[in-house]
Amino acid sequence: MSKDGSAAHAPGLADVVAAQLALRAQGPLVQCLTNSVSTNFMANGLLAVGASPAMVDNPEEAGMFAGIAGAVLVNLGTPTAAQVEAMRAATAEARAKGTPWVLDPVAVGALPWRSRVAVELLRHRPAIIRGNASEIIGLAGLGSGGRGVDSAAGAAAAVPAALALLTHATAVSASGPVDHVLGRVANEVVLVRVAGGSALLPRVTATGCLLGAVAAAYAAVAPDPFTALVAAHTHFAVAAELAAARATGPGSFAVAFLDALDAVDSVTLAALARIAAPTLVGG
Amino acid sequence: MSKDGSAAHAPGLADVVAAQLALRAQGPLVQCLTNSVSTNFMANGLLAVGASPAMVDNPEEAGMFAGIAGAVLVNLGTPTAAQVEAMRAATAEARAKGTPWVLDPVAVGALPWRSRVAVELLRHRPAIIRGNASEIIGLAGLGSGGRGVDSAAGAAAAVPAALALLTHATAVSASGPVDHVLGRVANEVVLVRVAGGSALLPRVTATGCLLGAVAAAYAAVAPDPFTALVAAHTHFAVAAELAAARATGPGSFAVAFLDALDAVDSVTLAALARIAAPTLVGG
Amino acid sequence: MSKDGSAAHAPGLADVVAAQLALRAQGPLVQCLTNSVSTNFMANGLLAVGASPAMVDNPEEAGMFAGIAGAVLVNLGTPTAAQVEAMRAATAEARAKGTPWVLDPVAVGALPWRSRVAVELLRHRPAIIRGNASEIIGLAGLGSGGRGVDSAAGAAAAVPAALALLTHATAVSASGPVDHVLGRVANEVVLVRVAGGSALLPRVTATGCLLGAVAAAYAAVAPDPFTALVAAHTHFAVAAELAAARATGPGSFAVAFLDALDAVDSVTLAALARIAAPTLVGG
């Protein structure tokens, strides 16, 4: 990738397949500072895609560990004062080492304390920001001193906010029935839409959180964060479709989804990926 | 409901069905301050019954969030000093706003520190107290300055203790092979027994914790806490019966139970609910 | 067992079967101070083998609770300052009461802060130390003032380190494709190898953590820690084989494994256990 982390070209299926093969081959160490609801499911999901999870999130160890991790995930779902201290240390170290880190701004915009934490962490320049539309709009509103949380917003409605957040991060995505992923290619901002998935995904807790962690795993091995983020969304959407075919409700879907994250390979990606042609958004 | 929260009549199947339809229609936001074992299972269980879970349990945010939640669950399973501070703030705000909150007094009576916390929280007047028989007896013993924890007590043995706790809460239940639910109808105290369930329920951790959270979800939408609590026990018992028919052990039961919580509707409730005719307990 | 906790003879299949029957019959209370990833899975796994889990890990209650527990597990996966304080109190009380406790030194050797905690806790004399080869080597290196973490080490490579740790604990094991369990019989150190298991075990998070907890459960009922540790490894390996036959990936394996931990009985143990003849290691 170029010096500023922009992609050589808009990521497509071939790049996603290459990233998935690299993820399996390298098994990167992914440090997660995440919420208490997601820990077990996230660790199992990371193992399923081929990464090696480590939930090191205390202030005593988080900074040092970020220096040896392949990527770092910071998820603001259930922050505590001590965990926030660990997040500061881990993201500072990640930036110093050039290690990619992902910010998942859960409920940012709606809750002032964690919103201030999110804005503070932006100084350490995440490679990727991933959230639902409301969170992306909420974080962008905070970043510009403005406002605007809309919990009913679809992913397309978050594109202007995601564009604004590209001043802080190299790639930004908003999850929805169709995921919207933005990144920079040369001097242009490009939008890639990833369709697929399942209506059962939002019926299982921490699936969005896991997607952020999978994006971190891909960021550890992909040529640039934009490619990593498109690959994570695609792997996720394909696995969700496979799992939905075997599920009889949200409980069995969660189990089948872990099986499917593991089963996804280049053949299933090529057969089932629904990555739309990239479109220009701005410069 | 009347000014003191008492029910217009003893809750029966028609009330449970109406509450279940309201829960699906409204999807209330349920704030959970709960133990570390239960978080993921509780969030998934709340999603399955149609509620929207939010595990906001830090002192910085819990009070404010209780002001926007539809109901609050406080579970004393693995309290920390910081979480207890958050519980104080959330229950104070819930009381101030008239938002129903549920107390699940895990291991109260057996452990002095959390027992003091439980007694302190009673001042903020929970709508509902739900526990196993030992916990209900334990909490009642503390509340009256007495003692008496009997870990072998059946739910029927907890009826006098539950009756005593109605000075602190609007509805109280003790879980067991037959659940015992007490509430006030006009000037009478009424007992409603809910049968069903499965012997596999106590073989899966945090099922009782989840029941407390489901009671909070129903309390956000039902006409009164007594109706909400009977509805939660009934929904739970019916789902457990459905799940047991598909399970080959506690692992597969937990998965099938989440599927069944989602699948339960007015037809299955009407077909499978086993709500005994109410009996008078005292005044 | 003898005064120093050594076994009367090297544990074999008959001892494992007897221990498993005792576990089912007694249902011991096992206190777990464990990492945030493992809590739910560990509690469910303990329930499945017939124990009664209690995750009491705050400084206000952990010491007192260790006085009434049948055994205590200390797992260093995601330690916090408060949890470490609770670990100190619980292990001190366990030692004072003669209650067996298990140390699972997750990532010890690689991370200095928790490594110091592990060395400090050794003073309270765990009955059992269980880890993967790297952790056993790492902890032994710290204990002797030396060094030596090898994350690629197989379980056999950890035998010298496990031998060294027998100055601190009564039985020590290193997990791997073939588990290596060391203990003392009279004045001899004996190695028992337990084969079986499944390649899916390390693909599910917290399975190793759960094994430590199951070892604690067995330690509460077995005649000595060496027998308890061989029984836990054997129960685990047999359950994993049963589960793998029903699984289509890591998600369904985790569910089937909980079912299988529950289903294992003396017949399946006798049919499927692969306990090698004991070998002398040193004195």
Side-chain angles (χ1 to χ4, degrees):
Chain A
M1 69 182 172
S2 64
K3 200 176 170 187
D4 68 346
S6 66
H9 56 269
L13 180 57
D15 306 287
V16 168
V17 168
Q20 198 266 344
L21 292 170
L23 180 53
R24 295 280 179 203
Q26 297 177 39
L29 182 61
V30 179
Q31 179 183 9
C32 302
L33 301 95
T34 190
N35 66 73
S36 59
V37 180
S38 68
T39 47
N40 186 272
F41 188 66
M42 186 180 286
N44 275 328
L46 284 172
L47 286 168
V49 299
S52 183
M55 271 57 186
V56 181
D57 71 343
N58 62 55
E60 290 81 4
E61 301 175 323
M64 178 206 162
F65 199 81
I68 60 171
V72 178
L73 168 79
V74 171
N75 175 301
L76 287 171
T78 59
T80 64
Q83 200 192 35
V84 166
E85 198 185 326
M87 289 171 177
R88 288 188 186 108
T91 54
E93 179 70 11
R95 186 185 190 183
K97 286 273 170 61
T99 302
W101 71 275
V102 175
L103 176 64
D104 192 333
V106 181
V108 160
L111 289 164
W113 181 64
R114 70 180 64 188
S115 297
R116 285 194 296 275
V117 171
V119 169
E120 181 194 335
L121 294 177
L122 286 179
R123 293 184 307 184
H124 294 154
R125 295 203 56 78
I128 288 170
I129 301 172
R130 187 223 71 87
N132 62 34
S134 302
E135 292 156 352
I136 295 300
I137 293 169
L139 182 59
L142 294 164
S144 64
R147 55 188 293 281
V149 177
D150 179 3
S151 61
V159 168
L163 180 60
L165 289 174
L166 284 177
T167 57
H168 300 287
T170 308
V172 178
S173 66
S175 296
V178 176
D179 298 330
H180 285 58
V181 187
L182 275 76
R184 216 173 277 279
V185 177
N187 292 325
E188 312 272 22
V189 174
V190 173
L191 165 66
V192 173
R193 292 182 191 84
V194 179
S198 162
L200 282 168
L201 265 183
R203 303 291 318 280
V204 176
T205 198
T207 49
C209 305
L210 172 55
L211 176 53
V214 170
Y218 272 104
V221 301
D224 58 82
F226 191 13
T227 300
L229 192 50
V230 170
H233 278 275
T234 305
H235 191 149
F236 227 66
V238 167
E241 281 198 58
L242 293 172
R246 290 172 51 196
T248 55
S252 50
F253 176 78
V255 174
F257 186 55
L258 291 174
D259 280 0
L261 285 172
D262 174 68
V264 164
D265 58 15
S266 52
V267 175
T268 44
L269 281 174
L272 296 173
R274 294 201 234 158
I275 308 169
T279 55
L280 288 183
V281 171
Chain B
M1 70 183 172
S2 65
K3 200 175 169 187
D4 69 346
S6 65
H9 55 267
L13 179 58
D15 306 287
V16 168
V17 168
Q20 198 267 343
L21 291 171
L23 180 53
R24 294 281 179 203
Q26 297 178 37
L29 182 61
V30 180
Q31 179 183 8
C32 302
L33 300 95
T34 189
N35 66 73
S36 59
V37 181
S38 69
T39 47
N40 186 273
F41 188 66
M42 185 179 287
N44 275 329
L46 284 171
L47 285 168
V49 300
S52 183
M55 271 57 187
V56 180
D57 71 344
N58 62 56
E60 290 81 3
E61 300 176 324
M64 178 207 160
F65 199 82
I68 60 171
V72 178
L73 168 79
V74 171
N75 175 301
L76 287 171
T78 59
T80 65
Q83 201 192 35
V84 167
E85 198 184 325
M87 289 171 176
R88 288 187 186 111
T91 54
E93 179 69 11
R95 186 185 190 184
K97 285 274 170 59
T99 303
W101 70 276
V102 176
L103 177 64
D104 192 334
V106 181
V108 160
L111 290 164
W113 180 64
R114 70 180 65 189
S115 297
R116 285 193 299 273
V117 171
V119 169
E120 180 194 336
L121 294 178
L122 286 179
R123 292 184 309 183
H124 294 155
R125 295 204 55 79
I128 288 169
I129 300 172
R130 186 224 72 87
N132 62 33
S134 302
E135 293 156 352
I136 294 301
I137 294 168
L139 181 59
L142 294 164
S144 65
R147 54 187 295 282
V149 177
D150 178 4
S151 62
V159 168
L163 180 60
L165 289 174
L166 284 177
T167 57
H168 300 287
T170 308
V172 178
S173 67
S175 295
V178 176
D179 298 330
H180 285 58
V181 187
L182 275 77
R184 216 173 276 278
V185 176
N187 293 324
E188 313 272 20
V189 173
V190 173
L191 165 66
V192 173
R193 293 182 190 84
V194 179
S198 163
L200 283 167
L201 265 184
R203 304 289 320 279
V204 176
T205 197
T207 48
C209 305
L210 173 54
L211 175 53
V214 171
Y218 272 104
V221 301
D224 59 81
F226 191 14
T227 300
L229 192 49
V230 170
H233 278 275
T234 305
H235 190 150
F236 227 65
V238 168
E241 281 198 59
L242 293 172
R246 291 171 51 195
T248 55
S252 50
F253 176 78
V255 174
F257 186 54
L258 291 174
D259 280 0
L261 285 172
D262 173 68
V264 164
D265 58 14
S266 52
V267 175
T268 44
L269 281 174
L272 297 173
R274 295 202 232 157
I275 308 169
T279 55
L280 288 183
V281 171
Chain C
M1 68 182 172
S2 66
K3 200 175 171 186
D4 68 347
S6 66
H9 56 268
L13 180 58
D15 306 285
V16 168
V17 168
Q20 198 267 342
L21 291 170
L23 180 53
R24 295 280 180 204
Q26 297 178 38
L29 182 60
V30 180
Q31 180 182 8
C32 302
L33 301 94
T34 190
N35 66 73
S36 60
V37 181
S38 68
T39 47
N40 185 273
F41 188 67
M42 185 180 286
N44 275 328
L46 285 171
L47 286 168
V49 300
S52 183
M55 271 58 186
V56 181
D57 72 344
N58 62 56
E60 290 81 2
E61 301 176 323
M64 177 205 161
F65 199 82
I68 61 172
V72 178
L73 168 79
V74 171
N75 174 300
L76 287 171
T78 58
T80 64
Q83 201 193 33
V84 167
E85 198 184 325
M87 289 170 177
R88 288 186 186 109
T91 55
E93 179 70 11
R95 187 185 190 183
K97 286 273 170 61
T99 302
W101 71 276
V102 175
L103 176 64
D104 192 333
V106 182
V108 160
L111 289 165
W113 181 63
R114 69 180 65 188
S115 298
R116 286 194 296 275
V117 171
V119 170
E120 181 193 335
L121 294 177
L122 286 179
R123 293 185 307 184
H124 294 154
R125 295 203 56 79
I128 288 170
I129 301 173
R130 187 223 72 87
N132 63 34
S134 302
E135 293 157 352
I136 294 301
I137 294 169
L139 181 59
L142 294 164
S144 65
R147 55 187 293 283
V149 176
D150 178 4
S151 62
V159 167
L163 180 60
L165 288 174
L166 284 176
T167 57
H168 300 287
T170 308
V172 178
S173 67
S175 296
V178 176
D179 299 330
H180 286 58
V181 187
L182 275 76
R184 217 173 276 278
V185 176
N187 292 324
E188 311 272 22
V189 174
V190 174
L191 165 67
V192 173
R193 292 182 192 84
V194 179
S198 163
L200 282 167
L201 265 184
R203 304 289 319 281
V204 175
T205 198
T207 48
C209 305
L210 172 55
L211 176 53
V214 171
Y218 272 104
V221 301
D224 59 81
F226 191 14
T227 300
L229 192 50
V230 171
H233 278 275
T234 306
H235 191 150
F236 228 66
V238 168
E241 281 198 58
L242 292 172
R246 291 171 50 195
T248 56
S252 50
F253 176 78
V255 174
F257 186 56
L258 290 174
D259 281 0
L261 285 172
D262 173 69
V264 164
D265 58 15
S266 53
V267 175
T268 44
L269 281 174
L272 297 174
R274 295 202 235 157
I275 308 169
T279 55
L280 287 184
V281 171

